[in-house]
């Protein structure tokens, strides 16, 4: 492949998961963080993503100085391995204080908890050497519409984002929208919502987004169009590639596993917008199938990257001239077939 542009890859410790689902227990034994880091290194990935409590386990029970100390130790470990921290994300959906939402909880004390924890995540990000705070707004939405005031919740979200932007003048917030699950309806379900709310904050240029393929599909959208949209604003700062078979539970399948053509179009959108050339990483937010044996535990990560790289080749070898001729002739019938045959490698 012509070395046009080399992508950098990453995943998170949660992507080497144990297979638990709401209907059954884990099927693979839990492994320590050190083991996961060693696997990441072995696979030749460049960076790791972190939830705040991936970086510092049980952080709610620790003092600020203890958290700082442990984060510094982690930084040293990562530096020693030559692995970067791509982002930090406050895990705001696990704590008892976030049962009814985090920034949009009806309880003021709980909203404070969420903000405080986010500011602490920014401090962790600083020590780990990343300026990206990812916000997957898992519980910002409602099960019962009448239980919350959605208009007020927009104000709560903006207030929380403003506190983060004030806390650190360099931090960039990457909102990761998802339309549902765990909530019935989320307040920021799409990239359009994320970028619109950015405009209400005190520093819109530091509020951007992260696209996860499966989340876009769950919103009934095409992830490739979401990529083009976000990149028209220069606001796609991180990316969770994976796949999803229609409107069902969040599957986090390997990239391209369900719809190869949609994956091809995501790669084309990334290529035409120069994703990665400003230091952005390609992250795979994928999980092993529950049936995966321990000895095949990393295949979904390696396979996702292989598919991605093959699709980069496909995007770069696509006959653009021929495609333009077909477009000029409005011969979308043959354009359609041309894409299919290109992907099949006829
Ligand atoms: C879950 C989200 C989560 C975020 C990081 O669906 O994808 O993993 O990416 O907080
Ligand atoms: Mg994700």
């Amino acid at each position: 492949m012509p070395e046009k542009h080399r992508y950098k890859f990453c995943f998170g410790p949660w992507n080497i998961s144990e297979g638990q689902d709401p209907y059954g227990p884990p099927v693979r034994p839990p492994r320590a963080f050190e083991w996961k880091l060693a696997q990441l290194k072995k696979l030749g990935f460049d960076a790791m993503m972190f939830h705040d409590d991936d970086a510092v386990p049980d952080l709610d029970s620790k003092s600020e100085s203890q958290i700082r100390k442990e984060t510094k130790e982690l930084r040293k470990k990562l530096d020693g391995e030559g692995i970067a921290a791509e982002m930090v994300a406050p895990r705001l959906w696990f704590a008892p204080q976030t049962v009814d939402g985090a920034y949009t909880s009806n309880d003021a004390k709980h909203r404070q908890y969420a903000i405080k924890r986010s500011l602490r995540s920014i401090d962790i990000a600083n020590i780990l050497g990343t300026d990206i705070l990812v916000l997957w707004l898992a519980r910002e939405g409602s099960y019962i519409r009448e239980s919350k005031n959605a208009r007020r919740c927009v104000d709560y979200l903006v207030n929380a984002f403003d506190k983060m932007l004030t806390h650190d003048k360099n931090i960039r917030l990457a909102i990761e929208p998802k339309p549902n699950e765990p909530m019935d309806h989320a307040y920021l379900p799409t990239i359009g919502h994320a970028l619109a709310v950015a405009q209400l904050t005190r520093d819109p240029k530091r509020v951007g987004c992260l696209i996860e393929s499966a989340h876009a599909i769950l919103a009934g959208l095409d992830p490739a169009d979401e990529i083009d949209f976000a990149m028209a604003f220069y606001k796609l700062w991180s990316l969770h590639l994976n796949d999803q078979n229609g409107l069902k539970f969040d599957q986090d399948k390997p990239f391209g596993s369900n719809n190869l053509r949609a994956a091809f179009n995501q790669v084309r959108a990334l290529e035409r917008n120069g994703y990665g050339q400003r230091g952005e990483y390609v992250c795979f937010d994928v999980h092993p199938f529950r049936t995966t044996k321990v000895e095949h535990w990393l295949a979904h990560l390696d396979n996702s990257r292989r598919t991605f790289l093959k699709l980069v080749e496909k995007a770069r070898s696509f006959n653009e001239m021929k495609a333009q001729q077909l477009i000029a002739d409005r011969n979308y019938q043959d354009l359609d077939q041309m894409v299919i045959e290109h992907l099949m490698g006829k």
Side-chain angles (χ1 to χ4, degrees), residues 14 51 87 89 93 136 176 178 212 215 240 250 285:
W14 66 89
H51 290 120
M87 63 83 162
W93 50 96
W136 174 45
E176 180 180 353
K178 184 181 180 189
E212 173 163 328
H215 296 180
H240 286 178
D250 188 356
D285 201 353

Side-chain angles (χ1 to χ4, degrees), residues 320-335:
E320 294 290 350
M321 197 128 77
K322 174 90 186 299
Q324 285 311 318
Q325 283 163 4
L326 293 171
I327 291 166
D329 189 27
R330 214 179 68 196
N331 189 351
Y332 302 160
Q333 211 66 63
D334 280 0
L335 177 64

Side-chain angles (χ1 to χ4, degrees), residues 203-217:
D203 194 359
K205 65 178 189 316
R206 286 195 287 137
V207 184
C209 64
L210 178 164
I211 291 171
E212 173 163 328
S213 323
H215 296 180
I217 295 165

Side-chain angles (χ1 to χ4, degrees), residues 20-293:
Q20 179 166 16
D21 69 16
Y23 310 97
V27 289
R28 293 174 291 273
R31 300 301 304 253
F33 171 75
E34 281 67 23
W35 185 84
K36 294 183 177 180
L37 183 63
Q39 306 314 302
L40 181 137
K41 177 111 180 128
K42 205 151 68 183
L43 284 177
F45 277 60
D46 307 280
M48 191 165 244
M49 314 189 263
F50 288 94
H51 290 120
D52 52 357
D53 58 0
D54 292 321
V56 182
D58 301 321
L59 83 176
D60 274 339
S61 67
K62 293 176 180 164
S63 68
E64 298 294 329
S65 63
Q66 181 68 16
I67 292 172
R68 234 187 339 262
K69 180 171 163 278
E70 289 186 32
T71 311
K72 282 184 184 155
E73 284 162 10
L74 173 62
R75 173 70 193 264
K76 212 189 264 160
K77 209 177 289 172
L78 293 174
D79 285 351
E81 298 289 354
I83 299 294
E86 191 257 347
M87 63 83 162
V88 175
R91 198 197 300 267
L92 288 171
W93 50 96
F94 254 72
Q97 293 91 330
T98 59
V99 168
D100 189 32
Y103 311 124
T104 61
S105 168
N106 280 329
D107 184 327
K109 280 194 308 297
H110 292 164
R111 295 198 297 275
Q112 278 317 311
Y113 165 83
I115 291 173
K116 194 166 167 235
R117 186 155 169 180
S118 306
L119 302 187
R120 201 190 281 144
S121 295
I122 293 173
D123 298 340
I124 293 175
N126 265 319
I127 297 175
L128 294 185
T130 172
D131 66 347
I132 296 189
L133 188 80
V134 166
L135 299 173
W136 174 45
L137 304 171
R139 299 196 187 276
E140 317 302 355
S142 61
Y143 300 109
I144 302 296
R145 177 122 310 94
E146 298 80 4
S147 67
K148 295 215 173 159
N149 178 332
R151 169 64 182 80
R152 201 182 297 144
C153 287
V154 175
D155 295 339
Y156 288 154
L157 287 170
V158 172
N159 173 56
F161 300 157
D162 280 348
K163 293 252 161 54
M164 297 175 218
L165 295 167
T166 309
H167 182 73
D168 182 313
K169 66 177 190 338
N170 294 317
I171 200 73
R172 291 185 291 157
L173 311 181
I175 299 173
E176 180 180 353
K178 184 181 180 189
N180 62 289
E181 200 200 22
M183 307 313 292
D184 180 23
H185 286 280
Y187 290 135
L188 301 185
T190 68
I191 293 304
H193 289 81
L195 297 191
V197 94
Q199 294 308 118
L200 295 178
T201 66
R202 67 198 315 277
D203 194 359
K205 65 178 189 316
R206 286 195 287 137
V207 184
C209 64
L210 178 164
I211 291 171
E212 173 163 328
S213 323
H215 296 180
I217 295 165
L218 285 168
L221 299 172
D222 189 310
D225 286 351
E226 288 281 84
I227 290 170
D228 273 325
F229 184 81
M231 294 207 74
F233 292 80
Y234 303 99
K235 284 205 166 181
L236 186 62
W237 298 334
S238 186
L239 181 66
H240 286 178
L241 294 181
N242 57 14
D243 214 348
Q244 169 75 27
N245 186 13
L247 302 182
K248 45 186 81 167
F249 65 95
D250 188 356
Q251 297 181 305
D252 294 335
K253 287 185 158 190
F255 182 54
S257 155
N258 186 64
N259 187 336
L260 201 52
R261 185 169 179 173
F264 169 66
N265 281 315
Q266 288 170 69
V267 173
R268 279 192 94 205
L270 296 171
E271 284 273 294
R272 74 171 147 247
N273 286 289
Y275 183 85
Q277 291 177 21
R278 286 163 224 90
E280 307 93 335
Y281 287 83
V282 171
C283 312
F284 296 110
D285 201 353
V286 292
H287 284 273
F289 303 128
R290 190 161 193 268
T291 47
T292 301
K293 294 180 193 166

